[in-house]
Each structure stands twice: as C-alpha cells, then as structure tokens.
Amino acid sequence: MSKTRIVFVHGVDGFGAAAWPAQHLLAGHYDCLFLKRTGFDAIEQPKATDFAADAQIVLNELGDGGHVVAHSQGAVAAMMAAVQRPDLIHSLILIEPLLLSLTAELPATAAYSTHLADLAARSHELSDEDYLAEFNTLMAVVPTTGVETSARVAARARLQAPSTDAPLHIIPGVPTTVITGGWEPLYEEVAEYLNATGARHIVHRNGHRPHDSSDGAALIEKLLEAAVAARLD
C-alpha cells in the first residue's frame, strides 16, 4: 500500500526541506514532499513572486491527491490550489497564513499593507542589510546565517509581491485547520476570518513558526493522523 502524500509549502524564511526541520521524521510514515516556490532556489537567480505558478507547483506535486501543510505566504499557493482542484487536496493545515487578499479591508491587514508599501517605496534607498532588517521584521523572519549571501536573500526579498495582490477571494470547500502563534494581530485576523468560514483555529504559542517546537511538531503529526483517518472512514 502506497504512503499518503503530504505536500509542504514554505513561506519566505527558507525553502525545501530546510524550511521544515521538525517535520522531516514524518517521511517515515508519509510520502512527504517539501516544495520550493518560484524564485526560491540555492542556485538559480531569485525571481518575482508568481502566485499562479506556485499554485501549479502544489497541484503538480499532489499527484492523485494528498494533504497540504503551508506556512505564511506559502498558504496563498495552497489555498489557490485548493480552489482550483479541491478534489486533489484532502485537507489543509495553514500555519500563520498570510492570506491578506481575504482580509485586505480589515484593520491589522490594512496597517501591515501600509508599512509594506512604505518599505517598497524606499527600497532603492536602502542597503541590502537595511532592507532585510525591515523586511524580516514585517514578515517575522528569523534570518539564518551561512546558507545564502545577504545580497541574494535581499534580492529575493525585494521581488516578493504583497500577499494582498494574490488572486484569492474565495474559500475552498476543503477541511482546513489554521494554526497561529497568538502573538501578532495580523495572523489572528486572518485566522478569525477563516474560522468564520468554517476552518478550525488552534492557537499554539510559539511565535511565527509554531511548528518548529516539539509540541508544535506533535500537533502537526496529530492533525495529519486525524485527516488521513477521516479519509479512510
């Protein structure tokens, strides 16, 4: 019997398997695929955000279907894929989802968008280090050292489109769980919006990456076990 496919979609603070250090062991139970979204690569040059291409990457890797776990901006690709092919996505686990096209008119999202637009307007005035310092603060990124040069990371950051630009305005009919860290109104605002449309909302207090803690990793594993079991009922 083949293993259940689980597709992991990263945010902006890492890509591929490196973005999911606490989820590697799940590969012993599931067919785990750790994606790289458009422009996220250690060798190829950074590229501008392509929401549609990212959604297609998710769909391509799902094969005959599976479950999707997505973090931060990666939730955009996951949700867009679920809107296009809800038959392929058996469940969604969205961690601190940056689904701001859904909440563009709400207070925390509007304030965040203003700050991001201001940073974009001043981008040409800022050094790579200064730009990354502001970008990482806005995106709740904890920078890593020694993996890529700051110039390369800054070039990719400057190419990231605001999540409010994503062509995502409807909610897919897919069983969805949202996990937030309970620390930032922006992500709680998105989670409350999704909760009002039927998603389950769990607060697991560990900042922007609650899935990195041992308890957070155990929560992800438990949710996946339940989702897989539900498909067998």
Side-chain angles (χ1 to χ4, degrees):
M1 182 178 179
S2 61
K3 293 180 178 179
T4 299
R5 174 71 51 88
I6 312 291
V7 173
F8 292 86
V9 192
H10 63 85
V12 296
D13 52 357
F15 51 86
W20 302 91
Q23 281 65 54
H24 293 174
L25 291 179
L26 291 174
H29 304 286
Y30 304 109
D31 179 14
C32 294
L33 296 179
F34 301 95
L35 303 190
K36 293 189 294 184
R37 295 191 292 111
T38 305
F40 288 83
D41 190 90
I43 298 175
E44 295 182 5
Q45 289 300 308
K47 298 177 183 177
T49 302
D50 189 330
F51 295 116
D54 287 345
Q56 191 59 52
I57 290 171
V58 174
L59 292 174
N60 290 346
E61 298 302 335
L62 277 167
D64 293 330
H67 305 265
V68 178
V69 183
H71 177 231
S72 192
Q73 194 182 51
V76 175
M79 286 282 278
M80 288 179 60
V83 169
Q84 293 177 48
R85 293 294 306 272
D87 57 308
L88 292 183
I89 298 182
H90 303 158
S91 75
L92 285 169
I93 299 175
L94 307 177
I95 306 166
E96 295 255 300
L98 203 65
L99 299 169
L100 304 187
S101 57
L102 298 176
T103 57
E105 298 181 0
L106 298 181
T109 300
Y112 170 87
S113 297
T114 297
H115 290 307
L116 194 61
D118 174 69
L119 177 59
R122 295 184 291 107
S123 174
H124 65 286
E125 303 171 0
L126 300 174
S127 66
D128 287 343
E129 290 75 14
D130 290 342
Y131 185 88
L132 277 179
E134 293 195 40
F135 179 83
N136 288 345
T137 297
L138 279 172
M139 300 295 288
V141 171
V142 177
T144 56
T145 58
V147 179
E148 295 183 290
T149 65
S150 60
R152 184 179 181 83
V153 176
R156 182 183 296 124
R158 294 176 193 270
L159 291 169
Q160 296 305 298
S163 294
T164 48
D165 289 354
L168 176 65
H169 303 289
I170 61 175
I171 306 299
V174 172
T176 301
T177 299
V178 181
I179 302 172
T180 57
W183 66 284
E184 165 57 54
L186 177 69
Y187 299 105
E188 301 307 313
E189 187 172 78
V190 174
E192 289 168 7
Y193 179 95
L194 294 174
N195 181 243
T197 65
R200 179 185 181 189
H201 179 205
I202 299 173
V203 177
H204 185 83
R205 298 189 182 279
N206 192 45
H208 185 52
R209 293 184 59 89
H211 52 298
D212 282 352
S213 69
S214 58
D215 287 348
L219 173 60
I220 298 295
E221 184 171 8
K222 182 179 179 181
L223 290 170
L224 286 172
E225 287 175 354
V228 171
R231 289 284 302 176
L232 299 176
D233 288 345

